[in-house]
Amino acid sequence: MSTVQDSDMQNQSTATPLDAANIPLTERLFDALQRAIVEGEIPQGSKISEPELARQHGVSRGSLREAMARLEMRKLVERKPNLGARVVTLSYEQLIEIFQLREALEGMAARLAAQNMSEIEIEELQKLLDQHGEQIAEQHGQAYFQKQGDLDFHYRIVQGSKNKQLIELLCNDLYHLLRMYRYQFGMRSKRSQQAYEEHQYLINAISARDPEMAELLMRQHIRSSRRNVEAVFLEKL
Amino acid sequence: MSTVQDSDMQNQSTATPLDAANIPLTERLFDALQRAIVEGEIPQGSKISEPELARQHGVSRGSLREAMARLEMRKLVERKPNLGARVVTLSYEQLIEIFQLREALEGMAARLAAQNMSEIEIEELQKLLDQHGEQIAEQHGQAYFQKQGDLDFHYRIVQGSKNKQLIELLCNDLYHLLRMYRYQFGMRSKRSQQAYEEHQYLINAISARDPEMAELLMRQHIRSSRRNVEAVFLEKL
DNA sequence: TTTTCTTAAAGTGTCGACACTTTAGTAAAA
DNA sequence: TTTTACTAAAGTGTCGACACTTTAAGAAAA
């Protein structure tokens, strides 16, 4: 589960790719905490004690505080003056709101991708989807990998838009919050077959350089995905 | 010029509304720096020296650093390890990208506003627009106030969407960067009359509870606005 | 005079400390 | 026994200091 990277992706990798040194402590801390929160290691709604968390990670409070300020901006933690910080509490309502956001943003991304993706990128995208198709055929229904696959697919289209603002927003800001929902709510799909087909239509539209159609299909695709979540949610009650 | 507030707008105002104390220093600093950058007081692209800036504002480097981390997340400054921070450099390309974002986001906002705005809110919006109409009639062409008026109008529709994610994103995150462009690029409109009419159509659609039409009109409106910017820009060359 | 090396100044990364605020535990009052 | 008052522990807000990195100035070599 690694095609999509956790950290920022516009880093100009220096000579040594994996040198942890030189990268500021605050930044590594930020990434670590983000991951811990997203994956539920630090449970949602839990209070965060700065001294304790700093000690656990072996850093000073100052460094931790800087990381916290950034986590707050990404809406992964909430801070109140003199009262401290808490991990956000996820809600069904917020999830629906995020789907509405995605519908607008990824719709635009698909439109732009139809205009700006290179032929090679489109081919690669088709290959990726073909792989997904095989995986679905093999292990029918219980499509765990498909979940990540879906993410990869959407990720590439956003990249294909070539709009840096859009990329930044979806792949850095919103992405982690969305991933947090996936982790914590389970969110099994049970419509991988249908999603696969919708993805194929999307590629066709992009390949035909039809921005209008690409946007339409993407929006419909995300709406379907939202309805699925709504259905799963109602089931639970 | 104040209907739209600079700072966060979801603050639960305590007993004393104007007490500067109790609000953390870092936060006030963040707001101050944000304003200074947006209004060009600290010029775009300029390097920021932490010791100097801290001294100017009479705070320690630690507090300033926390504010900087947040400014970085809002993409108002860029930081490179060991090299320091610079104010972002605005570009025509980025501005166009932001317009594309706005088209998607505010389009969705208009759609949701048509569903979720209360009748009273719609009436208020109509009143606001009527005021704009009068202002335009008075001082023809040279519509400076209209600029802020346009902002107010869009602001209210976003609020009317009732989608917190959308509101946060547009009114907190993107808003300041956009305002920075307005300040630094001048960006006179010279289409206030047309904008006024487009706004009226939008209200009509919202009033008729026609989400589809509201989104369509908003997107067209923002596209027109973008084309105007493109034209003004080509003029300059 | 131009280039390169050396070294000091400035700047960033990180830490520990202290003051003030909130929380929690305990004792006094009802 | 329940409520209120007081006090200590824990936590947050803010600061100044030190180590390491980069930048810039000046000296030595070409």
Side-chain angles (χ1 to χ4, degrees):
Chain A
M1 50 175 233
S2 59
T3 304
V4 176
Q5 290 294 333
D6 265 315
S7 59
D8 294 0
M9 31 209 72
Q10 70 279 22
N11 58 350
Q12 65 294 4
S13 53
T14 42
T16 341
L18 269 167
D19 60 338
N22 148 314
I23 295 174
L25 185 52
T26 297
E27 206 160 321
R28 299 204 302 274
L29 193 59
F30 173 70
D31 288 344
L33 289 177
Q34 180 165 250
R35 192 198 55 72
I37 289 174
V38 165
E39 299 182 5
E41 205 171 288
I42 308 175
Q44 55 169 307
S46 66
K47 188 173 181 320
I48 291 178
S49 161
E50 288 180 7
E52 187 185 334
L53 198 58
R55 190 179 40 70
Q56 282 176 10
H57 289 258
V59 302
S60 80
R61 266 184 63 223
S63 299
L64 180 133
R65 240 149 166 290
E66 223 174 296
M68 295 289 290
R70 290 161 68 164
L71 289 170
E72 186 187 17
M73 293 256 91
R74 284 227 171 134
K75 295 172 226 326
L76 293 175
V77 308
E78 285 170 359
R79 278 164 121 193
K80 290 182 181 174
N82 287 315
L83 295 184
R86 310 190 84 88
V87 178
V88 285
T89 302
L90 306 183
S91 73
Y92 174 67
E93 288 74 22
Q94 191 187 29
L95 182 57
I96 298 303
E97 288 187 346
I98 290 176
F99 267 102
Q100 291 175 336
L101 261 198
R102 284 187 62 206
E103 183 182 328
L105 290 171
E106 296 201 32
M108 176 58 79
R111 166 187 289 267
L112 294 173
Q115 297 172 202
N116 299 330
M117 265 180 115
S118 74
E119 293 295 334
I120 295 158
E121 284 173 317
I122 296 176
E123 277 177 42
E124 299 279 338
L125 189 61
Q126 181 64 62
K127 278 186 204 160
L128 182 69
L129 185 60
D130 291 345
Q131 283 176 19
H132 294 170
E134 292 170 21
Q135 283 178 8
I136 290 172
E138 288 170 20
Q139 23 117 52
H140 194 69
Q142 189 222 46
Y144 170 71
F145 292 108
Q146 171 60 15
K147 209 67 240 183
Q148 182 63 40
D150 180 76
L151 218 51
D152 285 353
F153 185 85
H154 284 257
Y155 179 80
R156 292 224 193 165
I157 290 184
V158 173
Q159 294 288 334
S161 78
K162 306 287 165 72
N163 180 319
K164 284 184 195 132
Q165 307 299 311
L166 209 48
I167 294 170
E168 184 83 13
L169 192 55
L170 280 167
C171 297
N172 282 163
D173 293 356
L174 254 184
Y175 175 62
H176 299 280
L177 192 54
L178 187 63
R179 236 171 39 118
M180 186 168 171
Y181 274 98
R182 280 206 218 280
Y183 263 96
Q184 316 238 348
F185 279 11
M187 282 175 76
R188 58 203 172 288
S189 66
K190 72 185 203 184
R191 59 184 279 280
S192 48
Q193 179 62 38
Q194 195 195 333
Y196 167 76
E197 287 167 16
E198 290 172 3
H199 283 183
Q200 186 57 64
Y201 295 145
L202 236 170
I203 293 187
N204 293 346
I206 290 174
S207 197
R209 303 297 185 186
D210 186 339
E212 204 72 39
M213 181 60 78
E215 175 163 19
L216 196 81
L217 288 172
M218 179 60 97
R219 290 185 67 154
Q220 243 175 277
H221 175 57
I222 291 176
R223 259 200 294 267
S224 303
S225 187
R226 169 168 59 83
R227 283 200 211 92
N228 175 60
V229 167
E230 288 172 351
V232 169
F233 228 88
L234 288 177
E235 238 174 56
K236 281 186 180 171
L237 300 185
Chain B
M1 51 179 236
S2 62
T3 302
V4 175
Q5 289 295 333
D6 265 315
S7 59
D8 294 1
M9 33 210 70
Q10 72 277 21
N11 60 349
Q12 64 293 3
S13 54
T14 43
T16 341
L18 269 167
D19 59 339
N22 149 312
I23 296 174
L25 185 53
T26 297
E27 206 159 320
R28 298 205 303 271
L29 194 59
F30 173 70
D31 289 344
L33 290 178
Q34 180 165 248
R35 192 197 56 72
I37 290 174
V38 165
E39 299 183 5
E41 205 171 289
I42 307 175
Q44 54 169 309
S46 65
K47 189 171 181 320
I48 291 179
S49 161
E50 288 180 7
E52 187 184 334
L53 197 59
R55 190 179 40 72
Q56 281 176 10
H57 288 259
V59 302
S60 80
R61 265 184 64 222
S63 300
L64 181 134
R65 243 151 165 289
E66 223 173 294
M68 295 290 290
R70 290 160 67 165
L71 288 170
E72 186 187 17
M73 294 255 90
R74 284 230 171 132
K75 296 173 223 330
L76 293 175
V77 307
E78 285 169 359
R79 279 163 118 192
K80 290 182 181 174
N82 287 316
L83 295 185
R86 312 189 84 87
V87 177
V88 285
T89 302
L90 305 183
S91 73
Y92 174 68
E93 289 74 22
Q94 190 187 30
L95 181 57
I96 297 302
E97 289 187 346
I98 290 176
F99 267 103
Q100 290 174 337
L101 261 199
R102 285 186 62 205
E103 183 182 329
L105 290 170
E106 295 201 32
M108 176 58 79
R111 167 186 289 267
L112 295 173
Q115 297 171 202
N116 300 329
M117 264 181 119
S118 73
E119 294 294 333
I120 294 157
E121 284 174 316
I122 297 176
E123 276 176 44
E124 298 279 338
L125 189 60
Q126 181 65 62
K127 277 185 205 162
L128 182 68
L129 185 60
D130 291 344
Q131 283 176 21
H132 294 171
E134 290 170 22
Q135 282 178 6
I136 291 173
E138 287 170 21
Q139 20 117 53
H140 195 68
Q142 189 221 51
Y144 170 72
F145 292 108
Q146 171 60 15
K147 208 67 240 186
Q148 181 62 40
D150 181 77
L151 216 53
D152 286 353
F153 185 85
H154 285 256
Y155 180 81
R156 292 222 193 167
I157 290 183
V158 174
Q159 294 289 333
S161 77
K162 306 287 164 72
N163 181 318
K164 285 183 195 133
Q165 307 299 311
L166 208 48
I167 293 170
E168 185 82 16
L169 191 54
L170 281 167
C171 298
N172 283 163
D173 293 355
L174 255 185
Y175 175 60
H176 299 281
L177 192 54
L178 188 61
R179 234 169 40 115
M180 187 168 170
Y181 273 98
R182 278 204 217 283
Y183 262 97
Q184 317 236 349
F185 279 12
M187 282 174 78
R188 59 201 174 287
S189 65
K190 74 186 202 181
R191 61 184 277 280
S192 49
Q193 178 62 37
Q194 194 194 334
Y196 168 76
E197 285 166 18
E198 290 172 4
H199 284 182
Q200 185 58 63
Y201 295 146
L202 237 170
I203 293 187
N204 293 346
I206 291 174
S207 197
R209 303 296 184 187
D210 186 340
E212 205 72 39
M213 181 59 78
E215 175 163 18
L216 197 81
L217 288 173
M218 179 61 98
R219 290 185 67 155
Q220 244 175 277
H221 174 58
I222 291 176
R223 259 201 294 267
S224 304
S225 187
R226 170 169 59 82
R227 282 200 211 93
N228 175 61
V229 168
E230 288 172 352
V232 169
F233 228 90
L234 287 178
E235 238 174 58
K236 280 187 183 172
L237 302 184

